[in-house]
Amino acid sequence: MQPQFRTCPESGLVFHRPAENLIKANAVAAVVFLAVGGLLGLLVALTRWPAVQILNAQDFYTVLTGHGVVMLLVWILFFEIALLYFCSSVLLRCRIATPRLGWVAFGLMIGGAAITSWAIIAGSSSVMMTSYVPMPAAPGFYFGLILFAVGALIGVFMFFGTLVIARDEKTYEGSIPLVTFGALTAAILAVFTIACGAIILIPTWLWSIGYISEIDPLMYRLVWWGLGHTSQQINVAAHVSVWYAVAAIVFGARPMSEKVSRGAFFLYILFISVASAHHLLGDPGLSTEWKIFNTSYVMYLAVLASLVHGLTVPGSIEVAQREKGHNRGLFEWLRKAPWGNPVFSGMFLSLVGFGFIGGISGVVMGSEQINFLIHNTIYVPGHFHATVVLGTTLAFMAMSLWLVPVLFRRKLFMPGLAKWQPWLFGIGTALQTFFMMGAGTLGVSRRHWDMAFTGSAFEWTYPGMAYTMMALNGISAVIAVLGGMIFVVVIVGTVLFGQKTSPAEYSSTRPGILRGPAESLSGHSHAGLGVKGFPAPGTFVLAMFLLLIFVVYFFINYGYLASVWRFS
Amino acid sequence: MSAIQPPARRVWWKQPVDRVEIVWIAIALVWCLIMFFFMPYWHVYGEQNYSGEAYRVNPQDYVAKVNEFVEEYTVRHETDRQVPVVRPPAGGDVYLLARLWDWYPILELEAGETYRFHVSSADWQHGLSIQPININFQVLPGYDMVLNVTPTEPGEYAVVCNEYCGIMHHTMMSRIYVVDN
Ligand SMILES: [Cu+2]
């Protein structure tokens, strides 16, 4: 038996060789698909920039479908599978369960992604990521997604298996770390998501090959959104875990309270999957009681969880910084943070962007009546670019900039350029979300090739401001794509040309047991820190600022709603 | 590095909670409750709601209904394609049909009057978007969605399709005229 474990001299992490190889493969596949999806996204934004309109209508709908599928499913799930292997095998210092099956999963995901991509490129499946029946796609479109999902599901079960191994072989002491707990949340949501995907995609595939005669469109939407929305909740759980991980890696931060942070993750498991009901608020036939239960009672408990993480993640950083002596005033801890380190700046921009833009807009558009103002306008992509791009993708980028050098034993390629990466990508994306949400508020439709309605029997012109905003969206997208290209260059450059650090040395002795920090560190007496018994007063002020914007924006929208036609 | 290490205390739920966390959780919970009660409040006292009224319908039957409706109340025709403009009696039923790639027919409604507004699709899913008031609903084949609509302001409104329905999706547009009574 060849030596299997190595301890990274810089990070202290322990890698099991088969797990390490699987993480590398999945992460590399993720970055390749990110690059492809990013270029498709640039074409989308340049087409929706009215003065540019680079693609014709047919190509636009094809490219938009490709952008959605590659970004929302392929890139993100490949990275999440890598993250699940990391959070189980590496963080718990144990061997990974069934590594051979891991390669089967990887093959299924690559094969599935290729088949679906081919169906889209061939032009016969421009049905958008949502692929609402009865509009048909080529059978390969659905079949590829099914294969991809099966592969991802195997990866998720390998994560569960690895947790069991770690527990059996006692590779850690006490409970699993918070980051692994967050990954467990993501994995549980993934099982629910992929189950919904199977329930709806398998019959839809059978329908596409003529084996089933009809799929009810409302039932399709209900089940499909169990996949479509919950898959984005996996992302939330995963990127919140990444926030905690980066806070620990960069600052040595401890969770303010394990109880609060874990409780918040637990709320996600219980409630977040039902929140997908908010996609159906403008649909015929669903009762008011059903909508109010699903979107308010259930969703707000999940929102509460996000609000909690929004305090405890920066709070843990603040406490760690104050312990290091940056204890003056409200914000010295933040000023003295390493803003030039892309691992930190990416994570922090992700946190702020997700909270202020993605979270607030998501709750507002998820309100039963407000939804009518923005359903299917370009506000919706504005919102989910704030959550999935600014939140998830940026957090994953920050994590990669730290993890890839550790995995490949190479120094970061062009670190001076990497410094700018999160700023360009984060600010470009944030501006995009603002402009899309603004244009959507003015009525601009999503998924429209031409907002001027060329070729229509009637004329209608959106306000001039809407045109300006779509142009600014195009410019912001160029900035964001520049940041994305720097990311790909830095990561690919690191893997191929990065200066080698010490070679990976595997040993046949088992690594030591993973222990918690010494009790003295965890007495949790944040005495002497912060202000008036508040160990993280700066974070609290920021959180109250967020709440203020939230409240104002919520009621502004109801005010606007009250001014339109009456309907009941 | 505790977030990537096991909790320092084996029984982590006994770890004390910081005051800042308790205060924030309480504030956030109150706000979530306010939002929670605001939806049903608006449903009762607000004037912009959808009650969920809808009926299963065969698309062909729905198209027949629309044609009947058009025959009865057409007042004139517009555009090169001679699209009928239909002016139904106030308080009555109004039918709107979505199909590749137009809305049928053009409607003329009176401001301040309430109509029973039906909308359904003959083929794929579409999105009913009324501009510039920016009110948006999903339109499904096989479901007749019923809204009680009261247009408040006279004017010329655009009906846009905002759910992707094929290559000519962006040309799928029509009018609603709201006139003084
Ligand atoms: Cu349409």
Side-chain angles (χ1 to χ4, degrees), chain A residues 187-210:
Chain A
I188 291 170
L189 292 173
V191 173
F192 174 86
T193 301
I194 295 173
C196 286
I199 292 170
I200 202 61
L201 283 174
I202 291 171
T204 307
W205 173 57
L206 293 174
W207 166 77
S208 74
I209 56 176

Side-chain angles (χ1 to χ4, degrees), chain A residues 119-392:
Chain A
I120 297 169
I121 294 166
S124 53
S125 303
S126 299
V127 291
M128 306 294 131
M129 150 112 159
T130 44
S131 56
Y132 289 144
V133 298
M135 180 189 280
F141 178 86
Y142 309 107
F143 185 68
L145 289 179
I146 293 168
L147 287 188
F148 183 80
V150 170
L153 193 61
I154 294 174
V156 171
F157 277 103
M158 282 175 58
F159 169 80
F160 293 132
T162 307
L163 291 192
V164 171
I165 287 176
R167 174 169 269 252
D168 275 0
E169 298 182 358
K170 299 195 168 49
T171 62
Y172 63 96
E173 211 177 53
S175 307
I176 56 174
L178 178 62
V179 172
T180 310
F181 191 86
L184 177 61
T185 305
I188 291 170
L189 292 173
V191 173
F192 174 86
T193 301
I194 295 173
C196 286
I199 292 170
I200 202 61
L201 283 174
I202 291 171
T204 307
W205 173 57
L206 293 174
W207 166 77
S208 74
I209 56 176
Y211 199 74
I212 289 179
S213 64
E214 198 199 349
I215 306 253
D216 182 79
L218 185 58
M219 187 50 66
Y220 176 93
R221 288 172 59 80
L222 182 65
V223 183
W224 193 91
W225 279 110
L227 160 81
H229 190 84
T230 319
S231 62
Q232 310 318 318
Q233 308 302 347
I234 307 170
N235 303 342
V236 174
H239 77 226
V240 172
S241 306
V242 166
W243 293 345
Y244 280 114
V246 170
I249 289 160
V250 176
F251 298 94
R254 294 172 272 129
M256 294 182 76
S257 150
E258 296 274 357
K259 178 159 54 183
V260 171
S261 298
R262 283 172 201 247
F265 275 122
F266 196 61
L267 286 178
Y268 281 156
I269 299 176
L270 290 183
F271 298 112
I272 212 164
S273 44
V274 200
S276 61
H278 78 244
H279 292 271
L280 310 177
L281 293 174
D283 279 33
L286 299 166
S287 76
T288 300
E289 295 77 11
W290 185 87
K291 287 176 187 170
I292 289 180
F293 175 81
N294 284 287
T295 60
S296 76
Y297 160 66
V298 172
M299 189 170 83
Y300 291 152
L301 287 172
V303 169
L304 181 66
S306 288
L307 286 170
V308 168
H309 290 305
L311 179 93
T312 56
V313 174
S316 72
I317 293 175
E318 180 171 353
V319 169
Q321 286 280 75
R322 285 181 186 276
E323 278 173 345
K324 283 192 201 105
H326 305 304
N327 195 22
R328 255 174 308 166
L330 277 178
F331 294 114
E332 194 193 19
W333 64 278
L334 200 55
R335 279 203 314 278
K336 294 280 169 74
W339 293 103
N341 176 356
V343 180
F344 166 72
S345 61
M347 171 263 165
F348 206 80
L349 288 171
S350 159
L351 174 94
V352 172
F354 179 83
F356 276 86
I357 315 174
I360 291 176
S361 62
V363 175
V364 169
M365 70 188 246
S367 301
E368 187 205 342
Q369 303 92 352
I370 295 293
N371 184 266
F372 305 143
L373 293 175
I374 43 200
H375 177 74
N376 270 346
T377 66
I378 202 160
Y379 186 102
V380 178
H383 154 74
F384 71 69
H385 278 73
T387 56
V388 178
V389 186
L390 199 48
T392 307

Side-chain angles (χ1 to χ4, degrees), chain B residues 38-82:
Chain B
F38 205 79
M39 271 195 247
Y41 166 82
W42 193 272
H43 210 95
V44 176
Y45 299 104
E47 289 176 322
Q48 291 80 18
N49 294 286
Y50 166 52
S51 62
E53 191 179 350
Y55 303 92
R56 293 299 306 258
V57 65
N58 184 325
Q60 281 111 40
D61 296 347
Y62 187 82
V63 172
K65 272 261 186 63
V66 174
N67 287 333
E68 236 170 77
F69 166 72
V70 170
E71 226 158 85
E72 198 165 352
Y73 300 115
T74 298
V75 290
R76 61 178 187 276
H77 291 81
E78 278 189 7
T79 77
D80 304 343
R81 290 158 66 193
Q82 295 293 308

Side-chain angles (χ1 to χ4, degrees), chain A residues 361-555:
Chain A
S361 62
V363 175
V364 169
M365 70 188 246
S367 301
E368 187 205 342
Q369 303 92 352
I370 295 293
N371 184 266
F372 305 143
L373 293 175
I374 43 200
H375 177 74
N376 270 346
T377 66
I378 202 160
Y379 186 102
V380 178
H383 154 74
F384 71 69
H385 278 73
T387 56
V388 178
V389 186
L390 199 48
T392 307
T393 296
L394 187 53
F396 288 180
M397 284 173 164
M399 184 75 178
S400 306
L401 290 174
W402 172 78
L403 184 60
V404 167
V406 170
L407 268 178
F408 287 86
R409 307 299 309 138
R410 283 172 187 272
K411 285 209 170 122
L412 204 61
F413 181 68
M414 302 178 79
L417 193 63
K419 220 184 251 190
W420 292 95
Q421 194 277 324
W423 297 100
L424 283 173
F425 188 79
I427 291 171
T429 310
L431 290 173
Q432 262 197 287
T433 65
F434 276 127
F435 294 131
M436 278 195 267
M437 282 159 54
T441 305
L442 294 171
V444 176
S445 187
R446 81 190 278 201
R447 299 169 169 174
H448 246 193
W449 168 64
D450 182 17
M451 67 187 279
F453 308 101
T454 308
S456 172
F458 300 91
E459 282 195 357
W460 178 257
T461 318
Y462 287 117
M465 185 52 102
Y467 277 83
T468 310
M469 286 195 175
M470 292 311 288
L472 290 170
N473 172 55
I475 294 167
S476 312
V478 171
I479 299 173
V481 167
L482 209 60
M485 274 158 58
I486 293 177
F487 174 76
V488 174
V489 167
V490 168
I491 293 296
V492 173
T494 303
V495 171
L496 297 180
F497 317 113
Q499 191 193 335
K500 285 194 173 126
T501 51
S502 60
E505 280 173 19
Y506 295 90
S507 110
S508 21
T509 48
R510 300 227 39 165
I513 293 172
L514 179 69
R515 292 175 205 282
E519 183 67 22
S520 65
L521 261 177
S522 67
H524 203 77
S525 56
H526 294 147
L529 292 183
V531 184
K532 295 193 174 152
F534 273 40
T539 301
F540 186 74
V541 169
L542 291 177
M544 291 305 290
F545 179 57
L546 171 98
L547 191 73
L548 179 74
I549 293 178
F550 199 162
V551 173
V552 168
Y553 188 66
F554 183 81
F555 286 115

